[in-house]
Amino acid sequence: MRAATRPGGDQDGKHQLAVLASFRPTWRQAIVSGLWAGVVGTIVLAASALTGPTLLAVLVGGTWQLRAPPQSIVVAVLAPVPLGLIYGLAVRRRIGARLDELGVRSVPLGLDGFAPWRLVVDIRAERRHGRTLVAVYLHSGATLRLRAPYDGVLGRDPRFERKLFLICHVWETHRDWRVPACTPEPRAGDATDDGD
């Protein structure tokens, strides 16, 4: 989490938006997600390396002997683990959320990655796919789910509640009170946490 460091103002004739806060996955979350991707890659490569020649030999009717795999195969099978770790650390800098004067932006900014404060009706924690993440509900009924901050079993964020409180506080400060503050009903298929 980073707080605002540059004030808005004119620089070369352009108005600079003040970044009020920005969020990225924690280092622990980046390492865990990278290692997870590497382990899955290793399992896929190991399964294909072990079953490919043996199944072919059994299907053709050849004899099957268990012998130690060559070192090149071992290196190729284990290569996804450090590559996944590097990937996780690289992606950490590219994903997250940013709060500015205009609204909340999901990073990287996609087609539906921006929610202006004047259209936000509610912000709450939502449970999806084993993670607790921040869901921003819009007046139109659409939902923007931020990629960071989040809290999960494999990627704990001990400061998740503080970050959620900060996002809600910034929204309360910048919201348009003419927009009805109704809480949208969860749609079919949305996972909700019923307070367990």
Side-chain angles (χ1 to χ4, degrees):
M1 174 178 68
R2 278 192 325 217
T5 55
R6 75 172 188 251
D10 285 335
Q11 182 179 17
D12 298 332
K14 295 181 180 176
H15 180 72
Q16 296 290 323
L17 288 176
V19 176
L20 304 173
S22 64
F23 303 98
R24 293 185 296 207
T26 63
W27 286 105
R28 183 184 320 168
Q29 290 170 336
I31 290 170
V32 166
S33 67
L35 286 176
W36 179 250
V39 167
V40 168
T42 296
I43 290 170
V44 168
L45 283 178
S48 66
L50 292 177
T51 58
T54 57
L55 282 180
L56 183 61
V58 170
L59 290 175
V60 174
T63 59
W64 184 85
Q65 293 181 355
L66 185 61
R67 56 180 192 263
Q71 287 182 348
S72 60
I73 291 179
V74 172
V75 170
V77 166
L78 294 178
V81 173
L83 291 175
L85 182 62
I86 292 169
Y87 169 78
L89 294 174
V91 167
R92 177 187 182 268
R93 300 192 51 80
R94 304 248 187 272
I95 65 172
R98 191 177 77 212
L99 310 177
D100 59 29
E101 298 165 345
L102 299 178
V104 58
R105 300 172 192 275
S106 182
V107 178
L109 185 62
L111 294 175
D112 58 347
F114 174 68
W117 296 124
R118 62 185 172 79
L119 298 181
V120 175
V121 295
D122 197 8
I123 296 176
R124 33 181 168 159
E126 186 176 275
R127 192 93 174 127
R128 290 183 71 82
H129 307 294
R131 289 182 177 179
T132 304
L133 48 86
V134 178
V136 179
Y137 293 92
L138 302 177
H139 183 66
S140 65
T143 304
L144 173 64
R145 292 177 180 90
L146 304 181
R147 297 184 73 182
Y150 69 86
D151 192 24
V153 176
L154 293 178
R156 302 287 306 160
D157 185 355
R159 298 188 314 165
F160 175 76
E161 288 83 13
R162 284 180 168 177
K163 294 173 183 178
L164 177 62
F165 177 78
L166 177 64
I167 294 170
C168 291
H169 177 70
V170 171
W171 167 56
E172 290 287 339
T173 304
H174 289 85
R175 74 183 285 188
D176 185 357
W177 290 94
R178 293 174 293 190
V179 175
C182 61
T183 304
E185 293 297 320
R187 294 178 294 196
D190 281 353
T192 58
D193 186 11
D194 295 327
D196 50 9

